[in-house]
Amino acid sequence: MLLWNLSLLRQSPELFFLLVALVGVALLIALTFHEFSHALVADRLGDETPRRMGRLSLNPLAHLDPLGTLMLFLVGFGWGKPVPINPLLLRGDPRSGMGLVASAGPLANLSLAGLFAVPVRLELIPWHSPLALPLHPDLGAIIVALIGYIILFNLILTIFNLIPIAPLDGFKVLLALLPRNLAYSFERTERYGSMILLLFIFFGYFTGFLWLFLRSGVNLLALVFTGRAIL
């Protein structure tokens, strides 16, 4: 995200650092609620591991993954620190339980985006895309931009984390939905997940495919929530 705005640092340093602050606040909100929701659902299903590890918390520092956060700051997509879960402690079928825990993060982000989109949908604020922050913003424009970035990053985290590649949430969600024999076969790819994900990110980023995919998904959800595209 910030890589696209480096020219702004020379043009208006004050506006650039305001952008850094807005992006930072929006990221903290989105990542914290995402990871907290994983921990909360796991705890409610009987696994107290997240609670013991200090992850059942709304403290952002408990949930930040250095590389994932840096990626979000620089290019607009990334991840938080995975919440430790013991599937054997979850009530019911461990595979279904892990699917519920995994889906909690994206659903939390989707709900948060919908909540912050309410004043936009009701036309209570003079909406504009957060990417169109004026050169000399007043307090109203800053608040509107912050709301826009909160919506944006929550939608990005929703879509990105549902990609079915380990360690993203979509992998566990798909495992829970697949028939058992297919799930066992698919689960074997988990050990290569981080390598596959990095290759996917680099290939998708440099070809433009990943951003096109995220942009299309974000704009579709933004149209549903706000009635306007956001990117």
Side-chain angles (χ1 to χ4, degrees):
M1 182 66 65
L2 295 181
L3 284 180
W4 308 335
N5 292 279
L6 284 179
S7 60
L8 189 60
L9 183 59
R10 183 173 61 245
Q11 181 183 4
S12 175
E14 298 85 358
L15 189 59
F16 178 81
F17 288 111
L18 173 61
L19 177 63
V20 171
L22 293 174
V23 169
V25 171
L27 281 177
L28 287 178
I29 291 172
L31 283 173
T32 299
F33 274 87
H34 180 99
E35 300 301 336
F36 171 76
S37 297
H38 286 315
L40 180 63
V41 171
D43 188 73
R44 293 296 183 268
L45 289 177
D47 181 11
E48 295 184 358
T49 306
R51 182 187 294 272
R52 292 197 303 270
M53 298 296 291
R55 302 302 300 278
L56 193 63
S57 168
L58 289 173
N59 179 0
L61 297 179
H63 304 297
L64 296 183
D65 176 87
L67 179 58
T69 305
L70 181 63
M71 290 285 288
L72 273 163
F73 258 100
L74 295 180
V75 297
F77 53 86
W79 53 89
K81 184 165 62 176
V83 175
I85 307 293
N86 185 342
L88 298 179
L89 297 179
L90 300 174
R91 284 191 293 272
D93 176 51
R95 195 160 58 95
S96 299
M98 284 301 296
L100 290 173
V101 172
S103 64
L107 286 175
N109 289 131
L110 192 64
S111 300
L112 207 56
L115 177 64
F116 277 90
V118 169
V120 180
R121 190 71 178 189
L122 297 179
E123 299 183 351
L124 299 178
I125 60 174
W127 172 250
H128 61 75
S129 169
L131 305 183
L133 191 64
L135 284 176
H136 303 286
D138 56 17
L139 180 59
I142 292 173
I143 292 173
V144 170
L146 177 59
I147 290 173
Y149 276 117
I150 291 172
I151 295 171
L152 173 62
F153 281 116
N154 275 284
L155 292 181
I156 287 176
L157 281 174
T158 297
I159 295 168
F160 182 74
N161 277 284
L162 284 176
I163 296 172
I165 301 175
L168 300 180
D169 300 324
F171 183 81
K172 296 296 185 185
V173 173
L174 185 56
L175 276 181
L177 295 175
L178 285 173
R180 192 169 297 274
N181 59 331
L182 290 178
Y184 285 145
S185 299
F186 185 57
E187 193 172 20
R188 294 181 189 138
T189 67
E190 185 172 10
R191 71 183 71 177
Y192 310 109
S194 296
M195 183 185 303
I196 295 171
L197 179 61
L198 285 175
L199 289 174
F200 176 79
I201 289 173
F202 282 114
F203 174 78
Y205 181 74
F206 287 109
T207 62
F209 162 77
L210 183 54
W211 181 242
L212 179 63
F213 167 73
L214 291 173
R215 181 180 180 181
S216 300
V218 166
N219 279 336
L220 178 62
L221 291 175
L223 283 170
V224 173
F225 285 142
T226 70
R228 302 166 175 85
I230 199 170
L231 292 175

